[in-house]
Amino acid sequence: MNISAFRVREGRTVNLKKRPTRVRPFYDSKAQYQSLLADHGKKLSALQNLLYADDRYALLVIFQAMDAAGKDGAIKHVMSGVNPQGCQVFSFKQPSAEELDHDFLWRTNNCLPERGRIGIFNRSYYEEVLIVRVHPEILDRERLPDPPRTGGSLWKQRYQSILDLERHLHRNGTRIVKFFLHLSKGEQRRRFLARIDNPEKNWKFSSTRSAAIAGRTTWPPMRIASRPRAQPTRHGMWCPPMTKRTPGSLCRRFWSKRWAG
């Protein structure tokens, strides 16, 4: 598999409108898919053992996407070969009162993986320059000390804080890989309807119904917020930063569930 078509390298910006959400499968049948998954799972398990035994590095994998893009499914299938004792998955939703009393990086910093372990973020600190940008009223709950709260300087400062954090983590042994699951609005609608029609998937829609519907009404501004901004020489696809130390991939999500049932 050639990942160059999906990877966003340092110094390149991305326009999501020009990036396709459909891609032909890299397998011909469900049996071949399961065989590839099992083979890659064994390789991943072996690498995890080396990571644990070496005890000098940590791996942080970040997933970002619109609702219904398949973050949970991707984590479940891709990480199926990993020993759960050495892996932790954290899902970041609305911040608690305690989290709002700290800086925007505090709650994710508390969940960073230790050396020898793998940490997976289902959403991450990037929400603070995506969701918060589209819904600036959230900033009122954060009680920031210095106005203007919604000015361009605020987002540039947050971008810089994220870049500084990731550089700091890299220097101290944490390797970061970031994935954006690219989904079209039409495919998102199909998946939402499937969650309603299929009783086994009703819980997925019920648990995120209000947020998901609200998210569709803000689709254009969310896409704008997801474009590279502030220091474009260092930014990646969803927002900054894609660097040589923290590579990112833009994964097309139309065909992702063809054989992953």
Side-chain angles (χ1 to χ4, degrees):
M1 177 179 177
N2 182 8
I3 66 170
S4 60
F6 301 91
R7 187 170 183 179
V8 179
R9 296 187 178 278
E10 182 176 6
R12 296 184 181 180
T13 58
V14 172
N15 185 340
L16 290 177
K17 288 185 177 180
K18 296 182 179 180
R19 289 279 182 145
T21 57
R22 300 187 182 192
V23 61
R24 294 188 61 82
F26 291 92
Y27 36 82
D28 298 323
S29 66
K30 185 173 182 178
Q32 185 186 15
Y33 159 77
Q34 292 176 336
S35 176
L36 286 171
L37 184 64
D39 181 53
H40 292 168
K42 291 178 181 178
K43 294 178 181 178
L44 190 59
S45 177
L47 290 172
Q48 183 189 17
N49 289 336
L50 292 177
L51 178 70
Y52 176 80
D54 187 54
D55 199 28
R56 291 190 301 164
Y57 295 92
L59 176 64
L60 174 61
V61 183
I62 297 175
F63 286 89
Q64 287 286 153
M66 300 292 286
D67 290 315
K71 297 184 299 299
D72 293 332
I75 293 170
K76 176 182 177 181
H77 289 284
V78 174
M79 307 305 292
S80 59
V82 170
N83 185 338
Q85 295 185 86
C87 181
Q88 295 170 294
V89 180
F90 296 95
S91 181
F92 297 99
K93 301 185 183 298
Q94 289 189 354
S96 66
E98 180 184 16
E99 291 167 345
L100 287 171
D101 277 335
H102 293 82
D103 66 90
F104 78 96
L105 292 171
W106 182 80
R107 66 171 179 165
T108 49
N109 283 349
N110 283 342
C111 301
L112 291 171
E114 305 96 317
R115 290 185 177 87
R117 296 176 65 89
I118 300 172
I120 301 174
F121 284 0
N122 185 341
R123 300 189 187 276
S124 66
Y125 38 73
Y126 283 100
E127 294 295 292
E128 292 291 336
V129 286
L130 290 174
I131 297 296
V132 177
R133 188 173 191 139
V134 176
H135 298 283
E137 67 275 8
I138 297 176
L139 289 174
D140 292 333
R141 296 163 52 202
E142 296 184 0
R143 299 187 297 279
L144 301 180
D146 299 319
R149 297 182 178 180
T150 58
S153 61
L154 171 64
W155 309 119
K156 290 182 180 180
Q157 290 168 6
R158 289 198 169 187
Y159 294 153
Q160 188 61 53
S161 295
I162 290 173
L163 183 61
D164 291 342
L165 170 67
E166 293 184 343
R167 284 175 169 169
H168 167 77
L169 293 175
H170 183 88
R171 286 194 298 267
N172 286 274
T174 297
R175 299 296 179 256
I176 306 171
V177 182
K178 296 173 279 191
F179 296 93
F180 178 78
L181 309 185
H182 191 24
L183 180 76
S184 70
K185 190 174 184 179
E187 178 64 10
Q188 186 195 52
R189 178 179 182 275
R190 187 192 69 79
R191 294 186 182 190
F192 280 158
L193 292 176
R195 291 179 178 184
I196 297 174
D197 296 337
N198 187 341
E200 294 182 358
K201 294 185 177 182
N202 284 170
W203 67 271
K204 289 186 177 182
F205 187 77
S206 299
S207 62
T208 59
R209 179 171 54 189
S210 59
I213 294 175
R216 286 185 63 81
T217 63
T218 58
W219 185 279
M222 276 295 293
R223 282 305 181 97
I224 293 174
S226 296
R227 294 174 185 170
R229 310 181 80 82
Q231 310 167 351
T233 58
R234 294 179 178 175
H235 289 180
M237 60 282 186
W238 0 305
C239 44
M242 291 300 122
T243 70
K244 292 179 180 179
R245 297 181 178 84
T246 60
S249 296
L250 191 151
C251 304
R252 304 161 192 172
R253 294 302 293 167
F254 184 81
W255 289 105
S256 63
K257 296 300 181 66
R258 181 177 176 183
W259 302 112

